Amino acid sequence: MLAIAILAAGKGTRMVSRLPKVLHKISGQTLLNRIINTSKKLNPDRIFVVIGHQPDLVKDSLLNDKNIEIVLQEPQLGTGHAVQVLSKKFNNFKGNLLVLNGDVPLIRAESLKELLKIHSLNDADVSLITTEKENPFGYGRVFKKDNFIEKIIEEKDCSLNEKQNKLINAGIYCFNWERLNKIINNLESNNNQKEFYITDTISLLGKAISYQIMEEEEIQGVNNRVDLAKCEEIIQKNIKRKLMLNGVTFVNPESSSVSEDAEIGIDVIIEANSHIRGYSKISDNCIIGPNTFLENTSINKNSKVVNTSIFNSEIMDNVNIGPYSHIRPGCIISSNSKVGNFVEIKNSHLSQSVKVNHLSYIGDTNIGKFTNVGAGTITANYDGLKKNITNIGEYCSVGSNSVLIAPVNLGNSVTIGAGSVINKDVKNHSLAISRVKQINIDNWKKS
Ligand code: UD1
Ligand code: CA
């Protein structure tokens, strides 16, 4: 049997935040969620999350996940105390308990599997992940004797000499539960922080071994926002490296970011300062950016998006968007269409080869193929109470600076005279014009 306990009860004082530390995000996902997702990859029998500081907030973030058992640690007297509280839930449990610090978010499932393997092979009482860190400041130092771990001393409890030790404790432990259970209540808090340390179980147990990993980035802990930024940098570096090796060009990789859930095809060029968030998908041969933000958006092949923000929308192939367009959720922009500068589109469907090139607002609107929407056209979709729909047919020309007051329907091949205010439906092949007739007064003088 395998149980996993994620320790997430601490306040995270060093974050200087109103949010519990484990709810801070890297690359769009909370520290806690990352660790839970990694834990699930091990198919454990049980997953516990120990919460304590702002418990309701942390609990809500778990969205009633049925696979997770919540344990309340109140008050929070240290990582060892967290396991003492947890132990009450462990009647008759036989097997291994994997304890994961909730603030070590980058650990990979493969490394955890390796730890479990080494633990079983050696029939150890406890096995833990260690690494040599060039700058070990802040971490517990691991002291070994004849290949076994003898003790762990926290930074704050180390002598000057002990601080020279660069072998650090990652905060990831696999315990033989029955053996841990016998000694877990014998911990003492006579240390600098007056806490019960999980690390003190080592000297109370028998066989303690380490799995030393070379990739120290994987066990980067998050105690403050400098660490948080370090984790983000590590994740981003890996995502972009992988994409580059798979045929994506980043013109200035440091200035751009891509979510782990995004998919990007080959020969896509990501220009500087472009950010691809959520479940976005970019197909082959697209050019994205510079200065572009995409969230949960798919872009089909050969499209170009410059200086633009797009949210929760679908852009088909050969589409040109920007510069300075804003595509809000619920849009489908079909192939060969063009959306130009200072155009905002929301919850609308543009069929193929539609042009909305300049200075427009299009909301809750369907536009048929090959229609041209002139500069400054506005669909007035909101009557003060509700949103209404505008339908514009195929092959229409909407003259510049028109206002289409929804609900309103324009048929196919309709022409709207520039500057019109249209609030009645227009039949196929008609011209609609509604503006004050121009009067020219000859020889006009001011006085
Ligand atoms: C801990 C380890 C240290 C290790 C480092 C790795 C101890 C005593 N020290 O130090 O050896 O090098 O992690 O990152 O364990 N928590 C609780 N309940 C509590 C206190 C903490 O659930 O009462 C949780 C925190 O929310 C956090 C985790 O345990 O997720 C670690 O606590 P933290 O205070 O950050 O420990 P470190 O000082 O980093
Ligand atoms: Ca920590």
Side-chain angles (χ1 to χ4, degrees):
M1 294 270 272
L2 174 65
I4 298 184
I6 301 168
L7 307 188
K11 180 166 184 243
T13 313
R14 291 164 279 183
M15 294 299 281
V16 194
S17 176
R18 292 191 180 89
L19 199 63
K21 175 164 69 179
V22 290
L23 296 191
H24 281 262
K25 290 180 177 172
I26 28 179
S27 201
Q29 210 185 341
T30 65
L31 304 188
L32 183 54
N33 250 315
R34 281 185 178 278
I35 299 178
I36 289 175
N37 289 339
T38 308
S39 299
K40 285 181 178 169
K41 291 185 188 158
L42 303 183
N43 292 321
D45 299 286
R46 302 174 80 172
I47 301 180
F48 296 95
V49 175
V50 182
I51 64 173
H53 177 69
Q54 291 184 281
D56 294 339
L57 266 183
V58 180
K59 199 171 162 188
D60 287 351
S61 79
L62 301 175
L63 303 170
N64 286 324
D65 187 333
K66 298 277 175 294
N67 301 304
I68 291 169
E69 298 173 62
I70 290 174
V71 176
L72 185 66
Q73 183 200 4
E74 183 58 58
Q76 298 92 47
L77 303 178
T79 48
H81 177 247
V83 179
Q84 289 174 344
V85 173
L86 174 81
S87 68
K88 313 268 182 305
K89 292 251 176 179
F90 263 138
N91 302 326
N92 307 322
F93 180 79
K94 286 193 171 65
N96 291 322
L97 172 68
L98 184 63
V99 177
L100 307 174
N101 274 5
D103 60 354
V104 184
L106 303 184
I107 187 70
R108 291 177 312 125
E110 292 73 24
S111 304
L112 295 178
K113 283 178 189 161
E114 195 58 33
L115 177 71
L116 295 180
K117 200 167 110 192
I118 290 171
H119 179 76
S120 295
L121 279 177
N122 288 281
D123 187 28
D125 290 358
V126 55
S127 311
L128 52 98
I129 297 185
T130 60
T131 197
E132 288 271 352
K133 224 168 158 50
E134 202 35 55
N135 176 11
F137 178 80
Y139 290 89
R141 307 297 206 282
V142 177
F143 294 86
K144 280 178 147 183
K145 198 175 173 189
D146 307 328
N147 271 332
F148 294 105
I149 302 174
E150 197 183 21
K151 59 183 173 189
I152 298 177
I153 307 181
E154 291 306 297
E155 166 90 29
K156 286 179 179 157
D157 299 307
C158 276
S159 66
L160 270 180
N161 197 26
E162 287 163 340
K163 280 184 187 163
Q164 303 309 309
N165 181 357
K166 293 187 169 166
L167 188 65
I168 64 107
N169 167 30
I172 295 166
Y173 323 79
C174 181
F175 292 99
N176 172 306
W177 171 248
E178 287 157 295
R179 292 176 219 166
L180 177 66
N181 195 25
K182 287 199 186 101
I183 56 95
I184 189 67
N185 291 311
N186 302 346
L187 293 174
E188 287 174 17
S189 59
N190 51 355
N191 51 52
N192 174 287
Q193 302 186 83
K194 303 281 171 281
E195 287 185 354
F196 296 95
Y197 291 163
I198 192 173
T199 44
D200 285 347
T201 59
I202 305 296
S203 28
L204 298 175
L205 287 165
K207 195 172 185 183
I209 59 170
S210 76
Y211 166 40
Q212 188 166 338
I213 60 175
M214 295 302 149
E215 272 296 328
E216 66 159 76
E217 289 186 334
E218 215 181 304
I219 55 172
Q220 175 67 50
V222 177
N223 288 325
N224 54 44
R225 298 193 199 228
V226 177
D227 296 332
L228 191 72
K230 255 187 224 163
C231 284
E232 184 73 49
E233 194 184 325
I234 292 166
I235 286 195
Q236 284 301 322
K237 197 182 69 190
N238 292 337
I239 295 172
K240 287 179 280 191
R241 186 185 145 77
K242 197 166 154 198
L243 288 167
M244 287 188 258
L245 294 175
N246 282 301
V248 178
T249 295
F250 283 85
V251 172
N252 180 219
E254 289 73 30
S255 70
S256 293
S257 63
V258 180
S259 94
E260 288 153 294
D261 300 315
E263 287 174 45
I264 307 186
I266 62 170
D267 292 323
V268 169
I269 298 176
I270 310 285
E271 296 269 8
N273 197 25
S274 295
H275 303 278
I276 298 163
R277 302 262 167 96
Y279 290 89
S280 292
K281 184 172 180 203
I282 301 168
S283 303
D284 299 353
N285 288 318
C286 287
I287 302 178
I288 306 298
N291 309 318
T292 290
F293 183 94
L294 307 178
E295 192 168 81
N296 298 323
T297 286
S298 70
I299 304 201
N300 268 283
K301 56 186 186 333
N302 304 321
S303 291
K304 196 172 170 199
V305 182
V306 183
N307 266 285
T308 283
S309 296
I310 309 182
F311 302 86
N312 297 65
S313 288
E314 195 174 345
I315 313 299
M316 305 314 230
D317 49 305
N318 288 305
V319 172
N320 250 295
I321 299 188
Y324 315 114
S325 309
H326 181 190
I327 314 279
R328 291 167 50 200
C331 289
I332 300 174
I333 313 281
S334 305
S335 37
N336 303 312
S337 290
K338 165 99 184 78
V339 176
N341 38 205
F342 306 107
V343 172
E344 175 182 350
I345 306 187
K346 186 216 81 175
N347 192 34
S348 293
H349 182 183
L350 275 56
S351 300
Q352 58 158 299
S353 304
V354 165
K355 289 189 175 126
V356 188
N357 272 338
H358 333 267
L359 304 154
S360 282
Y361 171 66
I362 303 293
D364 305 306
T365 297
N366 300 303
I367 306 183
K369 63 185 181 192
F370 290 98
T371 283
N372 186 78
V373 176
T377 296
I378 303 290
T379 55
N381 58 334
Y382 187 50
D383 58 14
L385 292 172
K386 59 181 191 313
K387 302 284 168 59
N388 299 295
I389 290 178
T390 301
N391 290 306
I392 306 175
E394 305 172 359
Y395 300 98
C396 293
S397 291
V398 178
S400 297
N401 211 29
S402 297
V403 181
L404 308 177
I405 302 177
V408 71
N409 303 295
L410 313 187
N412 296 331
S413 303
V414 158
T415 303
I416 303 294
S420 293
V421 175
I422 302 293
N423 60 359
K424 290 196 207 94
D425 290 358
V426 183
K427 283 192 296 197
N428 293 345
H429 304 288
S430 312
L431 165 71
I433 185 160
S434 84
R435 63 182 183 225
V436 178
K437 268 209 168 140
Q438 181 170 336
I439 303 170
N440 287 2
I441 300 175
D442 294 342
N443 300 319
W444 177 261
K445 284 198 188 106
K446 276 199 173 151
S447 57

